[in-house]
Amino acid sequence: MIQTQKLIPINEILNGGFGMSLGISNNSLFIGSPQSQIDGKFDRGYVYMFTKNQTSGLWSPTQKIFSSDGEEGDNFGNSLSSSDNLLVIGSYRNDN
């Protein structure tokens, strides 16, 4: 198998666990990064969305998803599942 593209997180400074969870639905790919730092809060977490270009077949970053009420240690994005137009994201250390 030949590598055709390497996906990297958008503006990720430190290793945030990018790739710890994955989901794919139609032309959307979701990649969890639960150890990402947001606003100085460690392990708060993101889920990155990539969209597949129908012409080139390449994936482009389109969105960075995070919890609006997230706190340090929540690990948002540690698990996820996607199907059709539904995305479910786990945040196993969220205590709210």
Side-chain angles (χ1 to χ4, degrees), residues 20-83:
M20 290 184 76
S21 58
L22 299 169
I24 191 165
S25 180
N26 300 318
N27 292 315
S28 297
L29 173 64
F30 304 95
I31 303 177
S33 186
Q35 298 166 346
S36 291
Q37 181 180 344
I38 302 173
D39 298 330
K41 297 177 181 177
F42 291 97
D43 298 338
R44 187 167 160 195
Y46 286 115
V47 170
Y48 293 90
M49 178 180 171
F50 292 81
T51 303
K52 188 174 187 178
N53 181 297
Q54 294 299 321
T55 305
S56 69
L58 297 177
W59 296 91
S60 298
T62 51
Q63 193 172 2
K64 211 159 111 168
I65 304 166
F66 61 94
S67 173
S68 61
D69 65 348
E71 293 296 329
E72 185 164 284
D74 280 354
N75 291 115
F76 181 82
N78 73 296
S79 61
L80 56 91
S81 181
S82 59
S83 176

Side-chain angles (χ1 to χ4, degrees), residues 79-93:
S79 61
L80 56 91
S81 181
S82 59
S83 176
D84 297 324
N85 293 322
L86 179 66
L87 174 64
V88 178
I89 301 171
S91 183
Y92 83 101
R93 294 189 67 199

